[in-house]
Amino acid sequence: LAGAAAAAALLVVVPVGRPVAPAAALALAGLVTPAVLVAAALLTEAAVPAGALTRALTWQSSASAAGSAVGAALAGHAVDAGGAPAGAACAAGAALLVAVQALRTRAARSAAGG
């Protein structure tokens, strides 16, 4: 859900012509990132045995880097094709997918009794 908040902040960038508002929106989106990374690390720590924690956090970091690379490539193509609004829509779409998956995972865990 934090990703959705970041994407919503990025949507402010699209219609604004002056650089102050987009900078503020990007700073707001940047505030969400550390919270997401810390939460992911804490969830990973709780989910794996202590002997596997380093490996799990390494996989988590690698997955994050890979996702950033793919996201940057997709957003770059979107911006080339449709300008800044297309790039913002790409970010919003990715955030929506993350939010939906988070809710599905939460529902599945609740149903399983966890």
Side-chain angles (χ1 to χ4, degrees):
L1 296 176
L10 289 175
L11 290 177
V12 176
V13 174
V14 177
V16 179
R18 296 184 316 186
V20 174
L26 291 172
L28 179 62
L31 289 174
V32 175
T33 303
V36 171
L37 294 175
V38 168
L42 289 173
L43 290 171
T44 300
E45 183 179 11
V48 301
L53 182 58
T54 300
R55 188 174 353 147
L57 290 173
T58 302
W59 275 106
Q60 176 187 344
S61 178
S62 297
S64 177
S68 292
V70 171
L74 292 175
H77 284 294
V79 169
D80 285 345
C90 187
L96 179 63
L97 288 174
V98 169
V100 167
Q101 184 58 39
L103 292 173
R104 290 179 65 200
T105 301
R106 186 176 189 188
R109 285 187 181 166
S110 292

